[in-house]
Amino acid sequence: MKLSFRTGPTRRSLQPDMTPMAGIGFLLVTFFMLVTTAAKPTLMELTMPVKPKPTDELVSRCCGNALTVLVGANNRVFYYWGMSPAFTNDPLHETTLGSEGLRQVLLAFRKESCPFVLIKTSDEASYRGMVDVLDEMRITDTRRYGLVDMTATDKQLLAQVR
């Protein structure tokens, strides 16, 4: 009887193990889910009133307890007490943005009854300056404030201090 032995290469079907690939897939999915939920933007809520008609009168219950903040060029910040410099004898004061400047003014002003802050930005003011003033409103917990257009008198005041 004759025995035959095969000495050539044997062919096996290759079936790769997919278990590590499934683990990597789950790790990638959880990584991207965590990154997208951790990077949520923080927004400041800003409610703007309806613009009045030219025939409407400016009526305010607290005209005497207003603080007007003027944001000028190069992040210069000025303020005066009242709604208009024509109705007050208080001169224009300059302050800085930060914990020793505008924040201290706002904290002192909060002690008034019915405080209201008017924020006016000039044409030369930067967007960052306005946002910094709004941040100070949030830090000092000043809830009654408004963004108002600059008047001709306010523009003259800023022109005098340049």
Side-chain angles (χ1 to χ4, degrees):
M1 180 164 150
K2 192 174 178 185
L3 294 174
S4 70
F5 292 100
R6 280 190 168 174
T7 58
T10 60
R11 292 196 171 224
R12 287 192 294 183
S13 63
L14 295 174
Q15 293 182 358
D17 188 14
M18 295 301 285
T19 306
M21 291 296 271
I24 290 174
F26 281 116
L27 284 174
L28 285 173
V29 167
T30 54
F31 170 75
F32 286 116
M33 285 177 61
L34 284 173
V35 168
T36 57
T37 58
K40 288 185 179 177
T42 55
L43 300 174
M44 181 188 302
E45 201 172 307
L46 181 64
T47 306
M48 298 295 288
V50 177
K51 191 167 186 168
K53 298 175 188 169
T55 57
D56 291 345
E57 289 184 25
L58 179 64
V59 178
S60 176
R61 291 181 294 150
C62 305
C63 288
N65 292 333
L67 173 70
T68 302
V69 177
L70 304 174
V71 183
N74 301 324
N75 288 335
R76 292 179 70 186
V77 179
F78 303 93
Y79 67 93
Y80 59 85
W81 305 103
M83 294 184 75
S84 173
F87 299 121
T88 181
N89 295 329
D90 192 39
L92 190 65
H93 303 280
E94 184 173 6
T95 187
T96 60
L97 287 169
S99 61
E100 297 300 320
L102 183 62
R103 188 175 304 168
Q104 296 302 319
V105 173
L106 292 173
L107 287 173
F109 183 64
R110 274 185 44 197
K111 296 175 185 171
E112 298 284 329
S113 65
C114 189
F116 188 78
V117 179
L118 298 171
I119 302 169
K120 299 179 180 184
T121 57
S122 69
D123 294 335
E124 296 87 22
S126 66
Y127 181 74
R128 180 185 172 101
M130 183 195 68
V131 170
D132 287 344
V133 171
L134 290 175
D135 285 342
E136 292 298 326
M137 295 293 154
R138 177 73 111 200
I139 290 169
T140 58
D141 198 30
T142 304
R143 296 177 188 248
R144 297 186 51 169
Y145 61 90
L147 296 171
V148 184
D149 293 332
M150 289 194 74
T151 62
T153 310
D154 295 326
K155 290 178 183 177
Q156 288 174 355
L157 282 174
L158 285 181
Q160 290 174 359
V161 294
R162 285 187 196 165

